[in-house]
Amino acid sequence: FDVPEKDRKRRSKLSGKLNQLGFYQLQRNIWIHPYPCELEIEVIKQVFRIPDRYVVFAKIGSINRQKELTQHFKIHA
């Protein structure tokens, strides 16, 4: 996500909720989760009134930090 500084409060709420839901902060504003979560992201955007243009949702098939992430999420590959 890329919520501007002027909306710091919304950005903080979004980060807090993603953390609470078990997302992993891969980079500063890149959070990941190993399971389908598109609906949850849409609900969070609605609740915190975050415009679509500030949040990008992507589904990926592989990532180069696989071992680190499978350990973090306690997934047995």
Side-chain angles (χ1 to χ4, degrees):
F1 65 85
D2 191 16
V3 179
E5 178 64 24
K6 67 179 180 150
D7 286 330
R8 182 183 322 157
K9 195 172 187 178
R10 287 183 194 171
R11 185 178 61 210
S12 179
K13 286 181 180 182
L14 176 57
S15 293
K17 182 52 77 174
L18 293 175
N19 187 48
Q20 179 185 16
L21 292 174
F23 282 70
Y24 179 76
Q25 189 173 15
L26 188 63
Q27 292 183 358
R28 185 171 166 222
N29 290 331
I30 299 176
W31 293 75
I32 62 172
H33 199 277
Y35 303 108
C37 56
E38 191 169 3
L39 179 59
E40 289 81 355
I41 297 300
E42 288 302 317
V43 170
I44 292 168
K45 286 176 10 186
Q46 288 178 9
V47 169
F48 295 137
R49 297 182 178 149
I50 299 172
D52 288 339
R53 68 182 178 273
Y54 295 154
V55 178
V56 175
F57 183 87
K59 296 177 187 179
I60 61 171
S62 66
I63 190 166
N64 65 338
R65 292 166 63 177
Q66 192 80 28
K67 184 176 180 180
E68 168 191 349
L69 297 171
T70 55
Q71 288 176 347
H72 173 80
F73 288 114
K74 296 176 177 56
I75 297 172
H76 302 289

